[in-house]
Amino acid sequence: MKLTEIIASVKPADKEIFKQAQDRTANLIMPPRALGRLNDIGEKICSIQGTMKPKVDKRMVFVMAGDHGITEERVAAFPQEVTGQMMGAFVAGMASINILSKQAKSKVLVADIGAVCDVNAVPADPDNTFIIRKIRRGTANFTKGAAMTREEAEACVMAGFEIASEMIQKHGLNLIATGDMGIGNTTPSSAIGAVFTGETAEVMTGFGSGIDNEALQRKINTIKRGIELNKPDKNDALDVLSKVGGLEIGAIAGVILAGAYHKIPVMIDGIISSAGALIAFGLCPLSVEYMISGHKSVEPGQIKMLQYMNLEPLVDLGLRLGEGTGAVMAMHSVEAGVRVITEIATFAEAGVSGKEM
């Protein structure tokens, strides 16, 4: 299937089911919309899955990994080899995303989309999956030219779509999440955010994994130089991705498109996943109807990205890790929202008197 065919096949969430869900919420045995965002979530999941009996019990987080030539500009706190080392930790089941995914009853898939190194490992846990779909070994330094070719950018998106689609069909998934691994990837993410939102690099750029003030200014200047040199077109998402993006960011966009294509809610993680969401949104505006922002990151650019897509994060835990950790933590809230609309009785069902005025 071609990317254009995938985009054309994405349909809006079910508006009739959404109305039915709102009607049920209005009649639950509680004051009107007393459970706030949980009521909103339940209704949205109903409309996404096209049923008043939605389920979110079969879950997977897709951790997409890739390296970045922009690390040459000393914008990251850790050396590039950490990307491969962390992929190994994910596969071994010993990283933060593994532990939090177990709590959230979610499987973990790790995909090497563009790491510089090779990781040859067998998952130690049956709930883990490791796939190698390397498009190229890291992006180029986008202060010297485009990060990748347009063909490579599209290949990243397609890799994410195909990987997610295969797992959705294989495991019958009904809730998926996006995650990432890639040293230096907050820099292309902030650049993508600046292009789409029109905000300055100063507004969109944060400390990433822990750089100092001097490195932060270098990071801001790097983003400015990359955008000025490459002149990415915000009206062409593949152009933005190819010029200042990342391999794993493109794959995240593909995972999101797979969720929309298969009518499955997609939990969006922090700033890197939000950059992938911007690419998916640019390619297919309807895809945003299938997105749920898991959490508010401490990275300042992320909230600007979410506002651009009219998404509101579910929780704010002060996270800045990535990997998909905030997205899987928010799965608890999504399950609660689904239980609210499917399991709490209405006034009529419970034989409880309704509101009089």
Side-chain angles (χ1 to χ4, degrees):
M1 182 176 289
K2 295 181 180 179
L3 180 57
T4 52
E5 295 171 337
I6 293 166
I7 293 168
S9 297
V10 173
K11 305 302 180 187
D14 194 318
K15 292 180 175 57
E16 181 57 36
I17 291 292
F18 183 68
K19 183 178 183 302
Q20 291 178 30
Q22 287 184 313
D23 290 342
R24 180 170 178 84
T25 297
N27 288 287
L28 295 178
I29 48 172
M30 64 180 73
R33 307 196 73 82
L35 285 176
R37 297 290 301 283
L38 296 183
N39 293 139
D40 298 338
I41 292 167
E43 293 163 355
K44 181 165 185 171
I45 302 297
C46 286
S47 68
I48 287 173
Q49 296 188 359
T51 175
M52 289 297 295
K53 297 290 184 181
K55 294 182 179 180
V56 290
D57 58 328
K58 295 180 179 178
R59 309 166 186 175
M60 179 174 282
V61 55
F62 293 84
V63 184
M64 300 295 169
D67 275 313
H68 299 267
I70 203 66
T71 55
E72 295 173 1
E73 303 300 317
R74 297 182 296 130
V75 294
F78 291 87
Q80 191 172 67
E81 56 263 30
V82 170
T83 299
Q85 292 166 355
M86 285 303 300
M87 279 196 293
F90 297 150
V91 175
M94 61 176 65
S96 302
I97 187 59
N98 303 105
I99 306 311
L100 294 179
S101 291
K102 283 183 181 295
Q103 184 190 23
K105 298 180 175 61
S106 172
K107 297 178 183 294
V108 177
L109 180 141
V110 181
D112 177 359
I113 304 298
V116 169
C117 67
D118 291 321
V119 177
N120 297 308
V122 178
D125 187 320
D127 282 338
N128 286 359
T129 302
F130 181 47
I131 292 176
I132 300 174
R133 286 287 299 272
K134 207 185 293 281
I135 304 302
R136 58 179 281 172
R137 294 182 183 273
T139 57
N141 181 340
F142 66 60
T143 65
K144 301 175 180 179
M148 63 186 108
T149 68
R150 185 181 181 90
E151 291 72 25
E152 289 167 339
E154 183 170 345
C156 294
V157 176
M158 289 302 300
F161 176 85
E162 289 164 1
I163 290 167
S165 291
E166 180 183 349
M167 292 298 115
I168 288 166
Q169 293 167 335
K170 179 178 179 180
H171 298 286
L173 302 177
N174 47 35
L175 178 63
I176 62 176
T178 61
D180 70 277
M181 183 62 227
I183 295 302
N185 62 8
T186 60
T187 300
S189 297
S190 296
I192 289 169
V195 171
F196 277 106
T197 66
E199 297 283 355
T200 65
E202 286 85 355
V203 168
M204 298 302 294
T205 309
F207 290 93
S209 57
I211 57 177
D212 58 21
N213 287 321
E214 181 181 348
L216 175 63
Q217 189 57 55
R218 191 160 56 241
K219 185 176 176 180
I220 290 168
N221 291 339
T222 295
I223 291 169
K224 287 180 175 179
R225 285 160 51 207
I227 292 174
E228 182 178 357
L229 173 68
N230 291 291
K231 296 179 173 54
D233 179 3
K234 67 174 293 183
N235 297 310
D236 182 348
L238 284 180
D239 186 67
V240 179
L241 178 61
S242 67
K243 288 180 174 175
V244 296
L247 299 151
E248 80 278 38
I249 294 171
I252 287 169
V255 171
I256 294 167
L257 291 177
Y261 180 86
H262 293 282
K263 298 188 178 299
I264 293 171
V266 187
M267 307 296 299
I268 309 299
D269 193 44
I271 188 167
I272 294 94
S273 287
S274 297
L278 281 176
I279 298 298
F281 181 57
L283 289 169
C284 177
L286 282 176
S287 66
V288 77
E289 297 189 17
Y290 296 85
M291 300 183 204
I292 298 173
S293 172
H295 78 115
K296 179 184 177 184
S297 165
V298 299
E299 282 290 301
Q302 187 228 13
I303 196 65
K304 296 294 185 182
M305 298 179 185
L306 296 178
Q307 288 170 349
Y308 180 82
M309 295 181 286
N310 197 28
L311 293 173
E312 184 178 354
L314 289 180
V315 298
D316 182 358
L317 299 172
L319 305 183
R320 60 184 180 91
L321 179 59
E323 300 180 10
T325 50
V328 298
M329 286 301 296
M331 285 180 174
H332 301 291
S333 296
V334 170
E335 180 177 354
V338 168
R339 285 182 176 271
V340 164
I341 200 162
T342 59
E343 298 181 23
I344 295 177
T346 64
F347 286 103
E349 289 166 350
V352 175
S353 298
K355 188 177 178 183
E356 293 183 343
M357 57 180 295

